[in-house]
């Protein structure tokens, strides 16, 4: 019956090996993740056990330190096998014993622990179990040979010898049985096949026993060979052989490949490898995807370290990922390494264990540098590692080698833009790159920072001096031909990726291809589960397997993305390997996951203005659980760009209802975090498809969102038009909550335009709607909005009362999104009343709360209010820093609607410090921005500031014009600064 993903198979296998005994949870974690378990390891193990309990009820028992499998041992093939072996070994009669040997071998059905994905489990348990099987095979064959069942021996051993050609005891029994059964020619052919294989793979001759057997067959002595020698006969010769070989002369040599002269970048990674040599670390692993430059880095480091290892520098390609070449067996690799150190080929031991022991003995007391290049996995390199101090082994691999305890790791990613440009300049010449700087940057982007791709491009440009970077960028920009452009004789980016792809299981290949069809540039665990149509723990197994072979990157916990070119390859592969119907269904599931999660997350950011059922068909039991605001903000932080792509996806498949719903779910995050460009793009796309499909609700909701986006971009009149269009639709639909949202946003724009009477009228309409509702948070929001307008027109007491009303509400009602604005209203109103000490205290807290919640817009306004309060307290230097902090944050976050106000107040502060030129520059810039955006209040404040500067500098006529305009505008607005302007004009 199906068990589930690799992790479930790993846990179940480990429990069944020690059936009836406790398996500590730490041991299970070690089997699953080696020496680097995630922080969630215990909970993941618990999830795997939970799945197994559903599949095998009553089987797994929780113990104080872990779990045990409570089953009859004879129901487990391993323990049934061992029981038959024990009976066979105890039986004196070969005829009785062979029946138990047969029953024992019938218990084997393939490789133990296949599909668990755990090299640590395989090394700790799988290999020893496999040796038990081979011992049973030999024992059966010896028993059958003694019973003269030579034909049976031939039938069973022929395929097994092909599977394990280096097991000479099986070879001996097979050749003997062929000869005994009258197949002399076949016996000689089998011997010759064995001799040739040993010579080609290991460079050694067959054992003396086999040579003697061969000679007897050739001379065709009477009868067939006598009874086969006991199994220990060959083993008894091994210690003598090792002792003889160990006396062989040592031959120091340097096998390192050429160090490329234009090696570029990777200085930090190179430094870590060089430091490893200084610190005496014995193994360092360089991991990364194909074509990233692992071998180049290892070879560069080896050349730099060569003088520290005078006894030799050895290099061997293990062919882990090579076209038309099987990975080198550890036995063959050890044979080559031993011969490289002076061991005569004829005395190299036969078995892996003996070769590994001799290798360690040869290196003991010596300082040798070994580069094991292109390793396929831990099992391939484990026997090649040195045991004692003094030597250094560098391993390059696309696998993370989780079983390699105590090793240092250097994980290579793609080159950054600066390093990539440096590589272009080093190979092609700095002048050629500088002539086309922008086009060269585009080439770097198209190559995704992959060193192999960059070197192919530079190689082609060297041989084609008339090619420009613009021409190369244009060729690379065509998706269908990009990989054709990134290949030259002997080198191909696509071929490198193809080798990694072909090493995957069919299930992993499907996962890789479907991930290539993800919407956006990354995906989290739960989105991947939706894409793959499986539960999260099973998806996690597959994702981790792709990460372990460097085909997928994990920039954060449970967050995955492709490097650029690997992602392009995955998309191409998906289109050729999977039916279009399957990829379309997968993308739809992922898009619905984003819609459902964004809708739930948005509930934690503030009151929802529209009530509707989200159009999600399927809900996973393993959906991303979001239970608080910080989790919601973190989720939006990670997926903000993906969500914009999801809106585009829904629009492209004409799913208008889905498009406007996800645009509505994400607008508040975009607005509060300054992502104005994403807010504009998503609302415009959703509005377009809603209008095209005649969807009134979708049109109204996105008109409001687009109006907010245009307001944030400083286009206030356009924002007013969009909101009024939305009002007409919502009024026609009788959507009172939607009308509340429109009026609230109209009030915000009127306030920025200095139309305070209209702002208050809009807010009073809103309040009349919400006062009788059960939505306490919505009532508090409108109370605060009214307080903010009261503050601007100088009714400070009313503003402070509004702010305190909000702060006095329960934590559940106020939420995090209202606390910072309420503190700011109280603080700025306190400053207006002259209580600057209290103002600073409230506004510092407002800044801290906004910063903690990640609301950039609130933080910008709170910082500017704090600067005004600090100025009132005479702390001019601190005030300038706060003004500048607000302005810089606005530029960084893309929230520019406060620019004019900030610059106006910065100019006032600088003027008080006597820094008149800087003050004038700030005020003039503020005036220009305010007039462009038709912000009347900042315009009037800037005119007032400039007029005062003009008068101080003796420009009386200009000063009078500006002060007159300021007084008139401020008087029309009805704000307290009107009195200041009139006083300045009269003075």
């Amino acid at each position: 019956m199906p068990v589930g993903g690799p992790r479930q198979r790993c846990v179940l296998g480990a429990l069944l090996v020690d059936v009836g005994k406790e398996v500590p949870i730490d041991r299970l974690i070690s089997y699953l993740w080696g020496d680097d378990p995630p922080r969630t390891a215990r909970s993941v193990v618990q999830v795997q056990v939970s799945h197994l309990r559903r599949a095998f009820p009553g089987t797994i028992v929780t113990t104080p330190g872990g779990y045990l499998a409570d089953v009859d041992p004879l129901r487990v093939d391993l323990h049934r096998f061992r029981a038959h072996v024990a009976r066979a070994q105890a039986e004196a009669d070969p005829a009785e014993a062979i029946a138990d040997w047969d029953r024992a071998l019938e218990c084997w059905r393939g490789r133990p622990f296949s599909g668990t994905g755990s090299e640590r489990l395989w090394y700790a348990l799988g290999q020893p179990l496999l040796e038990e099987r081979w011992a049973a095979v030999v024992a059966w064959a010896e028993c059958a040979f003694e019973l003269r069942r030579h034909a049976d021996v031939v039938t069973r051993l022929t395929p097994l010898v092909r599977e394990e050609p280096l097991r000479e005891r099986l070879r001996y029994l097979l050749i003997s049985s062929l000869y005994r059964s009258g197949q002399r020619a076949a016996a000689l052919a089998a011997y010759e096949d064995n001799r040739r294989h040993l010579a080609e793979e290991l460079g050694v001759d067959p054992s003396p026993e086999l040579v003697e057997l061969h000679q007897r067959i050739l001379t065709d002595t009477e009868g067939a060979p006598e009874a086969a020698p006991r199994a220990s006969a060959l083993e008894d010769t091994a210690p003598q052989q090792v002792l003889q070989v160990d006396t062989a002369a040592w031959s120091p040599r340097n096998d390192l490949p050429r160090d490329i002269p234009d090696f570029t970048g990777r200085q930090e990674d190179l430094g870590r490898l060089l430091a490893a040599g200084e610190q005496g670390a014995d193994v360092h692993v360089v991991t990364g995807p194909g074509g990233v430059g692992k071998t180049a880095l290892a070879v560069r480091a080896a050349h730099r370290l060569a003088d520290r290892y005078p006894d030799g520098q050895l290099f061997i390609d293990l062919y882990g990922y090579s076209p038309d070449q099987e990975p080198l067996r550890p036995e063959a690799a050890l044979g080559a390494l031993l011969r490289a150190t002076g061991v005569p080929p004829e005395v190299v031991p036969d078995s892996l264990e003996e070769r590994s022991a001799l290798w360690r003995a040869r290196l003991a007391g010596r300082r040798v540098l070994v580069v094991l290049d292109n390793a396929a996995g831990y099992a391939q390199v484990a026997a090649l590692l040195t045991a004692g101090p003094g030597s250094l082994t560098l391993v390059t691999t696309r696998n993370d080698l989780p079983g390699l305890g105590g090793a240092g790791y250097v994980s290579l990613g793609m080159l950054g833009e600066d390093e990539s440009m440096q590589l272009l300049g080093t190979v092609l010449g700095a002048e050629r790159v500088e002539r086309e700087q922008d086009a060269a940057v585009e080439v770097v982007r198209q190559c995704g920072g992959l060193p192999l791709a960059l070197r192919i491009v530079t190689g082609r440009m060297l041989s084609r001096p008339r090619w420009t970077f613009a021409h190369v960028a244009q060729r690379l920009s065509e998706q269908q031909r990009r990989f054709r452009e990134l290949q030259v004789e002997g080198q191909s980016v696509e071929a490198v990726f193809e080798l990694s792809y072909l090493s995957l299981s069919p299930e992993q290949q499907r996962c890789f291809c479907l991930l290539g069809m993800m919407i956006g540039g990354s995906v989290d665990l739960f989105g991947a589960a939706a894409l793959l149509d499986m539960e999260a723990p099973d998806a996690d197994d597959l994702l981790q397997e792709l990460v372990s072979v460097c085909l997928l990157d994990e920039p954060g916990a449970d967050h995955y993305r492709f490097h650029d070119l690997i992602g392009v390859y995955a998309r191409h592969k998906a289109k050729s390997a999977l039916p279009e119907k399957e990829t379309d269904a997968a993308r739809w599931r992922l898009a619905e996951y984003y819609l459902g999660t964004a809708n739930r997350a948005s509930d934690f950011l503030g009151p929802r203005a529209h009530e509707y059922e989200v159009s999600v068909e399927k809900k996973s039991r393993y959906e991303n659980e979001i239970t608080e605001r910080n989790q919601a903000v973190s989720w939006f932080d990670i997926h903000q760009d993906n969500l914009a792509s999801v809106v585009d996806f829904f629009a492209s498949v004409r799913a208008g209802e889905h498009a406007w719903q996800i645009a509505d779910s994400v607008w508040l995050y975009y607005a509060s975090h300054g992502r104005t460009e994403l807010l504009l793009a998503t609302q415009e796309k959703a509005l377009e498809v809603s209008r095209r499909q005649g969807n009134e609700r979708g049109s109204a909701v996105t008109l409001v969102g687009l109006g907010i986006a245009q307001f944030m971009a400083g286009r206030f009149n356009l924002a007013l038009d969009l909101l009024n269009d939305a009002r007409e639709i919502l009024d026609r639909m009788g959507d009172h909550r939607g009308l509340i949202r429109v009026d609230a946003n109209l009030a915000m724009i009127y306030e920025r335009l200095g139309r305070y009477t209209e702002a208050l009228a809009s807010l009073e309409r809103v309040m009349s709607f919400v006062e009788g509702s059960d939505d306490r948070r919505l009532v508090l929001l409108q109370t605060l909005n009214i307080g903010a307008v009261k503050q601007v027109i100088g009714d400070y007491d009313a503003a402070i009362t509004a702010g305190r009303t909000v702060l006095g509400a329960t934590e559940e009602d106020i939420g995090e999104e209202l606390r910072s604005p309420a503190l700011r209203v109280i603080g700025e109103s306190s400053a207006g009343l002259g209580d600057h000490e209290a103002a600073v205290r409230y506004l510092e807290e407002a800044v801290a709360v906004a910063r903690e919640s990640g609301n950039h817009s609130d933080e910008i306004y709170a910082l500017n209010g704090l600067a005004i309060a600090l100025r009132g307290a005479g702390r001019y230097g601190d005030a300038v820093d706060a003004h500048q902090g607000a302005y810089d944050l606005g530029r960084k976050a893309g929230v520019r609607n406060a620019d004019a106000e900030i610059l106006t107040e910065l100019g006032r502060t600088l003027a008080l410090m006597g820094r008149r030129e800087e003050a004038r520059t700030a005020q003039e810039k503020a005036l220009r921005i305010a007039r462009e955006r038709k912000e009347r209040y900042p315009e009037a404040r800037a005119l007032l500031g400039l007029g005062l500067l003009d008068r101080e500098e003796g420009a009386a006529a200009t000063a009078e014009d500006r002060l007159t305009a300021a007084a008139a505008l401020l008087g029309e607005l009805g704000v307290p600064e009107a009195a200041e302007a009139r006083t300045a004009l009269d003075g």
Side-chain angles (χ1 to χ4, degrees):
M1 64 183 300
V3 176
R7 288 184 179 168
Q8 289 177 44
R9 293 194 287 271
C10 179
V11 171
L12 181 61
L15 293 175
L16 292 178
V17 167
D18 288 319
V19 67
K21 299 177 183 178
E22 178 186 80
V23 179
I25 193 168
D26 288 339
R27 190 189 304 169
L28 294 174
I29 290 172
S30 173
Y31 289 153
L32 288 168
W33 294 285
D35 296 323
D36 187 26
R39 56 181 175 77
T40 57
R42 286 180 176 269
S43 62
V44 172
V45 171
Q46 290 165 0
V47 169
Q48 310 309 316
V49 171
S50 175
H51 279 291
L52 290 170
R53 281 174 169 157
R54 286 199 295 271
F56 304 98
T59 299
I60 300 176
V61 178
T62 301
T63 63
Y67 304 95
L68 67 77
D70 183 17
V71 297
D72 179 1
L74 293 183
R75 293 182 62 198
V76 180
D77 48 15
L78 169 63
H79 300 289
R80 197 163 57 253
F81 162 78
R82 286 174 172 171
H84 288 305
V85 167
R87 283 196 291 269
Q89 290 172 334
E91 182 61 60
D93 182 0
E96 295 294 332
I98 198 166
D100 274 312
W101 287 122
D102 275 320
R103 283 190 285 269
L105 293 174
E106 286 171 1
C107 296
W108 281 84
R109 293 183 296 275
R111 184 176 182 265
F113 305 113
S114 62
T116 63
S118 171
E119 288 193 346
R120 178 70 65 92
L121 182 67
W122 164 247
Y123 188 71
L125 298 178
Q127 279 190 328
L129 292 180
L130 205 54
E131 289 305 317
E132 290 186 45
R133 179 209 179 195
W134 289 118
V137 171
V138 170
W140 173 88
E142 289 176 339
C143 193
F145 193 95
E146 187 175 348
L147 295 170
R148 301 180 181 278
R149 291 169 52 180
H150 305 117
D152 291 343
V153 175
V154 171
T155 300
R156 173 164 266 169
L157 293 194
T158 298
L160 295 180
V161 163
R162 291 197 192 101
E163 182 182 339
E164 287 285 331
L166 298 179
R167 293 187 180 270
E168 288 201 276
R169 182 62 184 161
L170 293 181
R171 288 275 194 181
Y172 188 99
L173 290 164
L174 174 61
I175 294 170
S176 295
S177 296
L178 285 167
Y179 179 37
R180 249 318 162 85
S181 61
Q183 302 181 62
R184 179 171 178 271
L188 291 171
Y191 174 85
E192 179 59 24
D193 179 64
N194 178 51
R195 186 200 63 76
R196 185 170 55 253
H197 183 82
L198 290 173
E200 291 176 354
E201 289 293 320
L202 307 179
V204 299
D205 293 324
S207 68
E209 289 77 15
L210 271 172
V211 172
E212 181 187 353
L213 173 62
H214 180 242
Q215 287 300 318
R216 283 194 288 162
I217 297 174
L218 283 174
T219 56
D220 201 17
T221 56
E222 291 184 11
E226 298 176 4
R230 56 194 172 85
S232 60
L234 299 182
E235 298 166 6
D236 292 342
T237 66
Q240 298 174 355
Q241 193 178 47
V242 172
L243 289 175
Q244 294 169 2
V245 172
D246 197 40
T247 63
W250 179 268
S251 301
R253 57 192 278 176
N254 186 328
D255 290 341
L256 297 177
R258 168 176 171 266
D259 183 19
I260 56 175
D262 52 9
F263 182 91
T264 304
R266 306 290 193 203
Q267 293 308 304
E268 183 178 343
D269 299 315
L270 179 61
R272 290 176 61 189
L273 293 182
L274 298 180
E278 293 173 355
Q279 296 162 5
D282 59 351
V283 182
H284 235 74
V285 181
V286 181
T287 67
V292 83
K294 300 180 294 295
T295 301
L297 176 65
V299 169
R300 166 60 60 110
H303 278 285
R304 297 282 185 89
L305 292 167
D307 59 345
R308 302 181 202 170
Y309 299 92
D311 294 319
Q313 304 87 40
L314 306 177
F315 179 96
I316 185 167
D317 188 346
L318 299 178
Y319 300 111
Y321 296 87
S322 299
D324 305 320
Q325 178 75 50
E326 290 295 318
L328 199 63
R329 295 172 61 88
E331 297 93 328
L334 281 168
L337 289 169
L338 287 168
R339 292 192 299 275
T341 64
V343 178
E346 64 272 13
V347 291
V348 172
D350 296 329
S351 73
L352 172 63
E353 292 76 12
E354 291 168 345
R355 292 184 178 203
S356 183
L358 177 59
W359 171 244
R360 293 192 296 271
R362 294 285 287 169
L363 266 60
R366 294 187 171 96
R367 293 186 61 79
V368 179
L369 172 62
V370 183
V371 179
L372 305 177
D373 187 48
N374 198 12
Y378 173 72
Q380 190 183 30
V381 302
L384 281 59
L385 302 178
T386 59
S391 294
L392 173 66
T393 303
L394 300 179
V395 184
T396 71
T397 178
R398 302 185 194 185
N399 196 307
D400 57 11
L401 303 187
L404 201 58
Y409 281 83
V410 172
S411 180
L412 298 187
M414 304 301 172
L415 293 177
E417 183 178 303
D418 291 342
E419 287 186 320
S420 298
M421 293 292 285
Q422 183 184 352
L423 175 58
L424 296 183
T426 301
V427 178
L428 298 174
E431 183 180 348
R432 187 173 180 182
V433 175
E434 289 168 2
R435 280 201 306 267
E436 291 186 273
Q437 186 83 12
D438 292 343
V441 169
E442 178 60 21
V443 168
V444 165
R445 190 190 68 78
Q446 296 281 7
C447 290
L450 183 70
L452 175 60
L454 291 166
R455 288 201 172 273
I456 290 174
V457 165
T458 54
R460 300 187 83 180
M461 293 184 72
L462 277 174
S463 63
R464 298 166 175 79
R466 294 183 180 178
W467 275 22
T468 64
F469 280 108
H471 176 68
V472 173
Q474 188 273 327
R475 295 173 70 94
L476 290 174
S477 67
E478 299 175 23
Q479 292 287 332
Q480 298 302 317
R481 67 182 295 177
R482 182 179 300 183
F483 284 118
R484 293 202 303 274
E485 293 297 318
L486 295 177
Q487 63 181 4
V488 293
E489 186 175 353
Q491 289 184 311
S492 166
V493 170
E494 186 173 20
V496 166
F497 295 160
E498 185 78 6
L499 287 170
S500 293
Y501 175 80
L502 292 175
S503 73
L504 303 176
S505 69
E507 188 179 26
Q508 292 166 344
Q509 289 179 350
R510 175 181 177 272
C511 173
F512 177 78
C513 290
L514 286 177
L515 287 172
M517 300 304 294
M518 72 174 74
I519 301 171
S522 66
V523 70
D524 63 16
L525 171 60
F526 302 97
L531 190 70
L532 301 174
D533 198 20
M534 59 178 57
E535 303 296 1
D538 297 330
D540 185 42
D541 289 338
L542 289 171
L543 295 169
Q544 289 302 318
E545 287 160 7
L546 293 181
V547 170
S548 71
V549 295
C550 299
L551 281 175
L552 189 65
D553 192 24
E554 188 176 13
D558 292 337
H559 180 216
Y560 303 91
R561 65 178 176 81
F562 283 120
H563 289 296
D564 292 347
L565 282 176
I566 297 178
V568 173
Y569 170 78
R571 284 189 289 278
H572 286 178
K573 203 70 186 175
K575 291 176 181 177
S576 62
L578 298 178
E580 185 177 355
K581 185 177 181 180
E582 182 177 0
T583 58
D584 287 348
R587 284 166 64 83
W588 181 264
R589 289 192 301 270
L590 176 59
E592 286 206 325
Y593 158 75
Y594 278 124
L595 172 57
T597 309
N599 184 66
R600 292 195 307 276
S602 66
D603 287 337
F604 293 95
L605 302 188
R608 300 297 294 271
H610 305 278
E611 293 182 350
Y612 50 84
E613 289 293 323
V614 175
S615 306
V616 177
E617 296 173 5
K618 183 178 179 181
K619 184 177 180 181
S620 169
R621 291 187 293 115
Y622 290 93
E623 66 185 13
N624 199 340
E625 291 294 335
I626 296 175
T627 58
E628 60 182 22
R629 178 185 171 85
N630 287 342
Q631 291 177 336
V633 172
S634 295
W635 188 84
F636 278 122
D637 284 342
I638 292 171
H639 297 290
Q640 53 184 300
D641 293 313
N642 296 336
L643 291 166
S645 298
V646 175
V647 175
D648 289 342
F649 168 78
F650 280 136
S652 69
V653 297
R654 297 181 175 84
E657 193 76 6
H658 291 71
W660 75 256
Q661 286 181 359
I662 194 167
D664 184 53
S665 294
V666 78
W667 82 267
L668 185 52
Y669 171 83
Y670 286 158
S672 61
H673 287 72
R675 297 308 307 269
T676 308
E677 74 288 353
L678 289 179
L679 181 57
L680 282 166
T682 51
Q683 299 297 324
E684 285 173 348
K685 181 65 71 172
L687 177 60
E688 178 188 346
V689 68
S690 294
R691 281 177 163 168
R692 190 167 60 241
Q693 296 181 341
N695 188 323
E696 283 206 322
R697 179 175 294 279
S699 297
V701 171
T702 49
L703 279 167
V704 177
L706 190 55
I708 295 169
Q710 297 294 358
F711 163 72
M712 290 181 63
R715 294 185 279 271
F716 299 137
N717 286 328
L718 177 56
L720 286 175
D721 291 341
L722 291 166
L723 289 170
N724 283 316
D725 287 347
R727 169 189 280 284
E728 290 183 14
I729 299 174
L730 292 167
D731 192 39
R732 189 164 60 244
M733 295 174 61
D735 185 342
H736 296 302
R737 289 182 67 89
L739 289 170
I740 291 171
R741 186 186 183 199
V742 168
D743 276 321
N745 284 287
L746 284 171
M748 182 171 58
I749 299 171
Y750 287 141
E751 185 268 331
R752 296 297 297 161
L753 291 170
R755 295 161 61 175
Y756 301 117
T757 301
E758 291 166 281
L760 281 173
S762 293
L763 290 173
E764 285 166 0
R765 282 198 303 272
V766 171
M767 188 60 83
S768 68
F769 274 120
V770 303
E771 275 182 325
S773 75
D774 296 330
D775 194 335
R776 179 64 179 157
R777 186 180 296 188
L778 194 55
V779 172
L780 291 171
L781 174 62
Q782 302 315 319
T783 299
L784 187 58
N785 286 338
I786 291 173
V789 177
K790 294 284 188 181
Q791 171 214 321
V792 174
I793 62 177
D795 192 349
Y796 300 126
D797 291 330
I800 290 173
T801 298
R804 286 179 174 161
T805 298
V806 172
L807 292 180
T810 65
E811 189 69 29
E812 182 180 357
D813 286 337
I814 183 175
E816 292 185 32
E817 67 277 2
L818 297 184
R819 184 170 299 280
S820 178
L823 289 165
R824 178 166 60 87
V825 166
I826 296 173
E828 291 182 357
S829 297
S830 298
L833 292 171
D835 189 352
H836 300 294
E837 183 178 341
V840 169
R841 187 171 65 252
Y842 278 110
L843 287 160
E844 284 179 338
E845 187 178 354
V847 170
V849 171
R851 189 168 291 159
E852 184 178 353
S853 67
N855 192 315
H856 299 314
S857 182
D858 283 351
E859 185 180 351
I860 289 165
Y861 282 108
L863 273 171
N864 196 50
L866 175 60
I868 295 169
L870 290 167
R871 182 178 71 206
R875 295 165 57 182
Y876 298 143
D878 292 338
V880 169
D881 290 343
H883 285 309
Q884 194 64 52
Y887 187 74
D888 291 344
L889 179 59
R891 294 183 64 185
K892 179 181 177 182
V895 180
R896 309 310 302 271
N897 54 336
D899 284 359
E901 187 175 329
I902 295 169
L903 290 168
T904 296
E905 298 303 335
L906 174 62
R908 294 292 297 271
T909 305
L910 290 169
L912 289 172
M913 297 173 72
R915 295 160 61 176
R916 292 189 177 85
E917 285 303 314
E918 294 172 80
R920 180 175 293 280
T921 300
Q923 296 283 14
E924 287 175 345
K925 187 174 182 179
L927 181 62
R928 184 175 65 255
I929 294 172
R931 283 177 168 168
E932 287 173 356
R933 298 179 178 177
K934 296 181 172 54
E935 294 183 75
R936 301 168 72 206
Y937 178 64
E939 178 187 359
R941 292 278 292 164
L943 285 169
L944 176 58
L946 285 168
L948 293 172
L949 285 171
D950 290 335
R951 192 166 63 186
E952 289 176 9
E953 294 171 2
T958 305
E960 183 175 358
D961 289 343
R962 283 175 166 164
L963 290 172
T964 299
L969 191 50
L970 290 167
E972 182 182 339
L973 295 174
V975 294
E977 291 90 335
E980 180 186 359
R982 285 193 295 271
T983 300
L985 186 60
D986 294 340

